Amino acid sequence: MLACHPAKKLSFNRSISDGDLVIVYEKHDSMKAVTVCEGSVLQNRFGVFKHSDWIGKQFGSKVFSSKGGFVYLLAPTPELWTLVLNHRTQILYIADISFVITYLEVVPGCVVLESGTGSGSLTTSLARAVAPSGHVNTFDFHEQRAESARADFERTGLSSLVTVKVRDIQGEGFPDDFTGMADSVFLDLPQPWLTIPSAAKVLRHDGTLCSFSPCIEQVQRTCETLRTRFTDIRTFEVLLRTYEVREEKMQSLSGDDNGSNGSLPSKRRQCSDGSYILSGSPSISSVMARPCGEARGHTGFLTFARVKCVS
């Protein structure tokens, strides 16, 4: 995430400085996170890039290597960070993350509790959503994972918005210190139904909860438990289909079944769909949109609920 401007909380520094984290974009499926250090170089198949050439440039700049290759220097937004972070666990991707933030009604100033920090993919987006005055408290039972996540949040400039704690929420529940303080709760646990009573306790009046589960059997048991303390229970599965848009050159299709188009005779070639391409016909450029060959399928089920009002 971009470092906050000291004088304007909602604006960001747009130029790259020594020590900044940048996302080096080589192509759409090849990016890496690099910390700028004057005197260092980045070597890849496009050549050698000096970090000193990056300092002072704007995020989004196109920079060239000594042999003419180029990369783009992008700001470490949560969307890009999700694509380059180290996978310590299975992570949530943008389709699920955006859905979670919308349905949990996370806005600036919110207090969010998350159980199951993992690789910190969702946590990073939650931190941006609650900034500048909100806070995300995230818990993981694995101490080494929590320490790695804490280091990542420091690297991405989110340490003031995120607190990482080691705790087995599934076995112990959320700390009593958070009773009635949370606007939203997110659970990514093997047995989330065990944590439902504790989640209801920490949520404020009309607070929202989301539970992520890969299996429908987990969803069924979670929903049964939610009915005692929650209302407006809904489960979603988010499926994303990506399209490639590119410009391609095609030979024009013309002529009747005999290959006659009112001009000089030319050889014809039959396509797999039964149409003909005349070898002597000119090529035309066309923008084509087609589904990507590799589509990400099922990731998990998202169950949302709102805590019942107690009169």
Side-chain angles (χ1 to χ4, degrees):
M1 190 167 170
L2 295 172
C4 290
H5 190 285
K8 301 177 181 179
K9 290 186 177 180
L10 295 180
S11 66
F12 300 98
N13 297 322
R14 301 301 306 181
S15 59
I16 299 171
S17 303
D18 188 22
D20 280 352
L21 177 69
V22 301
I23 305 298
V24 178
Y25 179 100
E26 298 176 355
K27 57 180 185 174
H28 76 278
D29 59 351
S30 179
M31 290 178 278
K32 62 182 65 176
V34 176
T35 301
V36 178
C37 180
E38 190 168 5
S40 296
V41 296
L42 169 70
Q43 297 186 40
N44 60 19
R45 57 182 173 167
F46 300 111
V48 178
F49 299 86
K50 296 180 180 180
H51 287 204
S52 57
D53 295 338
W54 301 355
I55 297 174
K57 291 189 178 296
Q58 300 291 303
F59 281 108
S61 296
K62 182 179 182 179
V63 294
F64 292 86
S65 68
S66 54
K67 68 176 188 178
F70 65 87
V71 296
Y72 292 94
L73 306 178
L74 305 181
T77 63
E79 292 81 9
L80 292 178
W81 181 249
T82 290
L83 299 177
V84 301
L85 57 76
N86 293 322
H87 287 210
R88 295 178 287 272
T89 59
Q90 177 186 354
I91 69 169
L92 268 68
Y93 289 93
I94 297 303
D96 286 326
I97 290 173
S98 58
F99 205 85
V100 167
I101 291 177
T102 299
Y103 269 82
L104 282 182
E105 302 169 0
V106 180
V107 296
C110 279
V111 174
V112 181
L113 303 187
E114 177 192 25
S115 179
T117 309
S119 301
S121 175
L122 173 64
T123 318
T124 303
S125 289
L126 287 172
R128 181 180 62 179
V130 304
S133 56
H135 202 81
V136 179
N137 294 277
T138 182
F139 301 85
D140 202 294
F141 75 94
H142 195 281
E143 187 168 355
Q144 186 175 355
R145 264 205 309 262
E147 185 59 38
S148 297
R150 195 177 290 115
D152 281 349
F153 299 141
E154 187 73 35
R155 188 182 182 196
T156 52
L158 297 175
S159 55
S160 63
L161 296 167
V162 180
T163 299
V164 183
K165 297 183 180 181
V166 179
R167 185 180 176 93
D168 180 11
I169 298 297
Q170 187 170 281
E172 304 175 49
F174 290 102
D176 292 336
D177 297 346
F178 293 101
T179 300
M181 291 180 56
D183 297 288
S184 304
V185 168
F186 179 83
L187 305 176
D188 184 0
L189 300 169
Q191 297 175 296
W193 54 88
L194 297 178
T195 313
I196 299 303
S198 177
K201 186 178 178 182
V202 297
L203 280 168
R204 291 177 178 171
H205 171 74
D206 205 36
T208 52
L209 173 142
C210 176
S211 175
F212 174 86
S213 298
C215 303
I216 195 64
E217 292 81 8
Q218 295 169 298
V219 174
Q220 291 171 334
R221 191 159 179 183
T222 300
C223 289
E224 289 175 3
T225 307
L226 283 169
R227 292 173 61 186
T228 59
R229 302 288 297 274
F230 289 80
T231 186
D232 193 21
I233 302 169
R234 290 179 285 178
T235 297
F236 302 90
E237 180 185 20
V238 182
L239 298 176
L240 182 68
R241 190 177 191 184
T242 305
Y243 278 73
E244 291 180 346
V245 180
R246 64 175 64 178
E247 184 178 2
E248 295 184 355
K249 289 188 176 181
M250 301 176 60
Q251 287 182 303
S252 61
L253 304 180
S254 58
D256 55 22
D257 290 342
N258 297 321
S260 173
N261 60 356
S263 60
L264 294 175
S266 59
K267 293 182 179 180
R268 64 177 183 170
R269 178 163 53 88
Q270 188 173 16
C271 299
S272 59
D273 61 359
S275 61
Y276 292 93
I277 295 180
L278 303 182
S279 59
S281 61
S283 61
I284 57 174
S285 294
S286 179
V287 177
M288 308 289 290
R290 63 184 62 178
C292 292
E294 296 181 3
R296 184 173 289 115
H298 172 77
T299 55
F301 299 100
L302 297 169
T303 298
F304 296 88
R306 190 178 300 275
V307 70
K308 288 181 179 179
C309 298
V310 179
S311 56

